[in-house]
Amino acid sequence: MTQTPTPSSGPAPTEAALRRALRRASDGVTLDQAEAEVLLQAHGEHLDRLLHAAGAVRDAGLASAGREGIVTYSRKVFVPVTHLCNDRCHYCTFVKTPKQLEREGKSLYLSPDDVLRVARQGAALGCKEVLFTLGDRPEDRWPEAREWLEEAGYSSTLGYIRALAVQVLEVTGMLPHLNPGVMSWQDLGRVKPVSPSVGMMLETTSRHLYETPGQAHYGSPDKDPQVRLRVIEDAGRHNIPFTTGLLIGIGESFADRAESLFALRRLAREYGHIQEVIIQNFRAKPKTAMRSVADAEEDEYLAAVAVARLVMGPRMRIQVPPNLSEPEQLGRLLQAGADDWGGVSPLTPDHVNPERPWPHLDDLAKYSADAGFELTERLTVHPEYAAVGEPWLDPRVYGHVKALMREDGLANPAALPTGMPWQEPDPEWGSSGRIDLNVTIDTTGRTSDRRSDFDDVYGDWQALREKAVHTGAPERLDGDIVKALSVAESDPQALAEDQSVLLAYAEGDALKQLARIADDLRRETVGDDVTYIVNRNINFTNVCYTGCRFCAFAQRRNDDDAFTLSLDEVKSRVREAWSVGATEVCMQGGIDPHLPATAYFDIARAVKEAVPQMHMHAFSPMEVINGSTRTGLPIREWLEQAKEAGVDSMPGTAAEILDDDVRWILTKGKLPTASWIECVTTAHQVGLPTSSTMMYGHVDNPSHWARHLRLLAQLQEQSMEYGAARFTEFVALPFVHQNAPIYLAGVARPGPTMRDNLVVHALARILLHGRIDNIQTSWVKLGVDGTRAMLQAGANDVGGTLMEETISRMAGSQYGSLKTREELEEISEHLDRPARQRNTLYEEVELQH
């Protein structure tokens, strides 16, 4: 029988420490983690003072939101889709084995008919939420689960849940709230369009409970605290309204509780997506390993609720489950700063805690009123997100939410759910918005035409400033630099990682030597020709909800500068490009959830219908993931269909820096490094060559450049071994800072220096030697003089004529968006090197059309 220890964090805090922490809490001073740990141990009169301070913070938040004296709940039905689970939590009675379910005469999964029957009954009673609860990824543990899913036509439990959510929306109009446990970045992208909100309890950050035999989470792979924090963070990058929380009394220490709260506060501040934090008290259950462990002590629970309120602040909703406390305790929980009871069902039991029935809603209203609060219904998505809509709500579910809410985002109690179609946006393409994208800077230093959700979409800038840590140069000796340069010259592929990093910090004479070595390698590999391509960039939409913090290009659909080209406009621009000698169009756009799921295929077919001979270089890995998610196709199948539709090669943009610590500060909502790698390597395997890129000079440092380039070299070697397509070039992209939100907010530095530019181009030539032959420099970002300097430091290509390039121009580039053949050739003539037109694959262009 498992016994877990009672919470302990060493000696009890001193009277002085408690009084000091309480005084700071009462004065509204932001607590640090040590003070939170002290206050979690408050008892007696100290606890009373703590509850008073927390209640005052809650009241200020409700007044600010225009909901003074309101405590909310969601009227729901509870649907246990499956009791199977990958985990073995020692306090859980919800999870069952296939044999147990067989003995009880139950299916491994509820059928769609079972789910819809419960949902219809709930809708008739005015319920507006369907809470899907299930175990984490049961197919990973149980072959029986995999077999059931396969027979039902689904590859995963998540795929089945997604299909059930769509049926609930269409048949009943109720709003799904999904609790599928641990999900990947791509999984979260799949559930957002079918669920206005998603949930997963953090429970605790304690690794002791996860790693120690006999403790609550031992043997439960999905209860790894780092994995669960990663899921919550990824949800923030997707702009998903998210519910999470702590489980109090499962053996964690007071220090663990404080650490857990501060981990959630960090994510809430950085992404703004955590809509509520549940503080749930442990209740021992029979027939579990922890059946003899005492329930969470009442004062400790009240202190945890109060400290959660103080740490998370006035805007956060703090939820407490009303069925896990005795009725006489509910008023004290409201005194402690709670303002939400969570989901309460008039129909279904709490299947996770079946021994604890929900209070009747009339009784809950009375308990709330006795404490001075009015019980008010909300939706599964809280009003701060429901009333705003995008980017928090996908357009495919926003109509369902809007049908059930008041103007302030709370539930309309008179609205009964009614089935509505869940569908992709209308597939009719049409031009929208203005195409003139001139940018001006106002006197505050921010763009005057910034996207309308600027204050919401990027997260908390101060949290990012605290997170952005710029490491200095490594300790180095002159002899180490000389040795690294010697290896770079004699055998570039033999450079060790520490030597590569050392060269990334080169300056002075070492930098001159680095540039000379790179230029010699360039001459040896590709000769003296300076190549270029006649092409046209077609940015087909600038509507985007990703929220990349470096991007001044993206807009919301209702912004004055938003645009989306019609397919006819795309065709017209392709024909124009062909008529002036272009051999390639490069197609990239924002991530617009209003475009049809087949948008990328539609665009590819339009290009080939306009000019069958035109090479289509299209769709970044971010767009590939978006297309894969929207269509439900695996990445490989999506790329195969894109190729069939007309895509000839793929830009390796959206790479930024292939280091997640850097890219999440820089981009917030873009795909993680692993997904970028999966996209480009799969593209190579299906026969689509790609470029490779790196954007530098923002919150990165030179060591990141070296590691990024070494990773590209490794990926190219894998593609070469596979015998597939590969990277055609490496494109160095200096960060253009002028209008970038992350610079205007004071997080990023003002772009790379000339030293940085020379190092990146030279190091790319050296570290990619024998793998990627062509190093491209960007005249759009560096200008003519800068481009010439890079051509003497390892670069051999100047890119394309472009004809239009709105992304860099929106960011503040001053070097235009069009160069003629003659202008590109003049760049190389100044260096006394021949210019040569090439196609996308670096072959000579023999025929002019």
Side-chain angles (χ1 to χ4, degrees), residues 631-787:
T631 59
L633 294 170
I635 290 173
R636 177 180 293 274
E637 290 183 27
W638 191 93
L639 286 166
E640 289 171 343
Q641 292 197 25
K643 182 180 179 183
E644 183 179 345
V647 174
D648 298 298
S649 62
M650 194 175 93
T653 49
E656 277 63 82
I657 293 289
L658 295 175
D659 178 296
D660 283 338
D661 288 341
V662 173
R663 67 189 292 107
W664 292 139
I665 297 174
L666 185 68
T667 68
K668 181 192 176 186
K670 270 197 177 174
L671 66 172
T673 297
S675 295
W676 189 91
I677 292 171
E678 181 182 5
C679 282
V680 296
T681 55
T682 306
H684 294 172
Q685 291 167 12
V686 303
L688 286 172
T690 76
S691 60
S692 60
T693 65
M694 180 176 75
M695 187 178 74
Y696 61 96
H698 32 77
V699 296
D700 52 348
N701 64 56
S703 63
H704 294 121
W705 309 340
R707 295 186 182 106
H708 180 109
L709 292 166
R710 290 175 67 88
L711 176 56
L712 292 179
Q714 294 170 14
L715 297 176
Q716 185 77 325
E717 288 177 354
Q718 293 171 13
S719 292
M720 293 165 71
E721 291 174 5
Y722 193 85
R726 58 193 69 176
F727 294 126
T728 55
E729 64 199 343
F730 169 76
V731 186
L733 301 172
F735 171 56
V736 179
H737 69 282
Q738 282 86 345
N739 298 335
I742 196 168
Y743 170 72
L744 299 175
V747 178
R749 60 187 185 274
T753 64
M754 180 55 71
R755 185 214 78 89
D756 296 342
N757 292 326
L758 289 168
V759 164
V760 166
H761 287 78
L763 201 61
R765 171 60 66 187
I766 292 168
L767 295 183
L768 300 177
H769 180 64
R771 289 96 158 189
I772 303 176
D773 290 342
N774 299 295
I775 307 298
Q776 182 182 126
T777 184
S778 173
W779 62 261
V780 175
K781 300 176 187 295
L782 291 173
V784 170
D785 290 340
T787 298

Side-chain angles (χ1 to χ4, degrees), residues 311-334:
V311 170
M312 302 307 298
R315 296 181 60 186
M316 182 61 69
R317 306 280 73 84
I318 300 297
Q319 180 186 132
V320 289
N323 61 319
L324 298 186
S325 295
E326 303 308 319
E328 58 271 17
Q329 295 175 307
L330 299 183
R332 287 276 277 172
L333 289 170
L334 292 178

Side-chain angles (χ1 to χ4, degrees), residues 357-437:
W358 306 111
H360 191 281
L361 286 171
D362 291 342
D363 293 333
L364 189 60
K366 180 181 181 301
Y367 302 144
S368 301
D370 289 345
F373 288 85
E374 178 186 350
L375 183 65
T376 302
E377 185 184 1
R378 62 163 172 86
L379 302 176
T380 178
V381 57
H382 280 257
E384 292 82 358
Y385 304 87
V388 171
E390 295 167 338
W392 301 109
L393 299 180
D394 188 279
R396 286 160 285 186
V397 295
Y398 179 65
H400 298 79
V401 173
K402 189 175 181 181
L404 298 176
M405 75 175 184
R406 308 185 318 204
E407 288 186 4
D408 62 0
L410 287 166
N412 178 1
L416 288 177
T418 303
M420 297 169 57
W422 180 93
Q423 59 187 19
E424 295 293 340
D426 189 338
E428 292 298 321
W429 282 81
S431 181
S432 63
R434 298 190 294 113
I435 311 300
D436 180 13
L437 296 177

Side-chain angles (χ1 to χ4, degrees), residues 439 441 445-447 552 735-741 743-744 749-751 808-815:
V439 178
I441 303 293
R446 289 178 170 175
T447 55
F735 171 56
V736 179
H737 69 282
Q738 282 86 345
N739 298 335
Y743 170 72
L744 299 175
R749 60 187 185 274
S808 294
R809 182 152 52 93
M810 285 291 289
S813 173
Q814 305 299 310
Y815 298 116

